[in-house]
Structures are given as structure tokens and as C-alpha cells.
Amino acid sequence: MDKEALENLARIHKLHHETADINEVQGLIQSGSVRLKDAGLATLSLESRFDLSYNAAHALSLAALRHFGYRSDNRYLVFQCLQHTLDLPPSKWRVLDQAHRKRNLAEYEGNIDVDEALVTSLMEITEEIRRAMVALVTG
């Protein structure tokens, strides 16, 4: 974890300090894990699989931030903070950032433009985050 980077974000009010709550963290991991599993169901539409995998990624990324005692008011920032919380390389959190932009277009403009490659990448990166979080909380 890069505490200095997280503290810098807190200093400029992008993150807020909030005592970690293990029940919240475990609940977010559980929620993300269930959504990720469901996103793998081939019987669902691609759009549904995208929605499930995006929300799984967000829950698990938020779990990482909360584990270290921070919270953000911005959904996108939890993805960008993965480089500081779980040492996720920029090439991976940028996929999550791209998914976030596509999610916003779908939510606010009704324009959903996703493909199988994006959903697959999103699911693979989310699984990596899930494994890292399980390892982090189980010690």
C-alpha cells in the first residue's frame, strides 16, 4: 500500500479518512464476489454481464479503499486508487476507468456500447482484485 499517495489525496479532499469496518469490507467482498460469479453466466445478455462485472469491480475496489481507512465521494476514484491500495498497474485500472465511462454513458444517456473483449477483461481484472482482497483480509 502507498500510504503517502492516499494521504496526499486525503489532504486535497479527494479521499476522506473513515475508520475501517471489517463487516463493511467483508460485505463488499461478498457482494462483489456474487456479482462477479453471476457475470460469468453465459445465458445473460452482454449488457447484463457488463453491469454485473462493473458493479463487482466497484464493490471490491471500494473494499480495498475501506480496508485501509479511506472513502471517496467519486466512483471513478476507487478504481484509480487501486494502484495505491493493491498495487494494481495503471494498464489494469485504466480498463476499469474505461468501463466506468461506458457505465456512465449507459446510465445517463442510455447509450450502452460494450463488447465481449471489454467484459472479459473487466471480469479478469475484477477476479484479480477479488483474490487480492480475500488474501488481504484473511491474512
Side-chain angles (χ1 to χ4, degrees):
M1 180 201 40
D2 185 347
K3 185 155 181 74
E4 183 178 338
L6 294 170
E7 282 299 312
N8 285 339
L9 289 167
R11 239 184 320 282
I12 62 171
H13 306 289
K14 294 290 185 180
L15 295 180
H16 311 285
H17 291 101
E18 190 172 312
T19 304
D21 177 345
I22 189 62
N23 292 324
E24 179 187 10
V25 171
Q26 289 176 333
L28 288 165
I29 293 169
Q30 175 65 23
S31 174
S33 298
V34 168
R35 285 184 169 93
L36 182 58
K37 182 179 177 189
D38 289 350
L41 297 172
T43 56
L44 296 177
S45 70
L46 187 61
E47 291 81 2
S48 291
R49 292 175 55 228
F50 171 78
D51 187 58
L52 286 163
S53 56
Y54 170 83
N55 283 303
H58 185 266
L60 292 161
S61 300
L62 180 57
L65 202 56
R66 294 296 300 120
H67 176 79
F68 291 110
Y70 297 93
R71 184 177 295 281
S72 172
D73 294 332
N74 299 307
R75 290 180 70 89
Y76 73 89
L77 197 57
V78 299
F79 297 133
Q80 292 178 2
C81 284
L82 286 167
Q83 69 182 3
H84 308 309
T85 56
L86 299 179
D87 199 28
L88 195 75
S91 61
K92 292 186 178 179
W93 68 255
R94 284 188 185 117
V95 171
L96 302 176
D97 189 58
Q98 176 189 16
H100 176 74
R101 286 191 310 271
K102 288 187 178 278
R103 174 255 183 204
N104 281 352
L105 284 172
E107 288 288 318
Y108 301 117
E109 297 179 21
N111 179 16
I112 186 151
D113 178 28
V114 296
D115 58 29
E116 188 70 42
L118 174 62
V119 173
T120 299
S121 294
L122 183 56
M123 289 177 62
E124 288 171 353
I125 294 166
T126 303
E127 174 59 23
E128 184 178 338
I129 295 166
R130 189 195 68 76
R131 285 192 313 264
M133 282 308 302
V134 167
L136 194 60
V137 299
T138 59

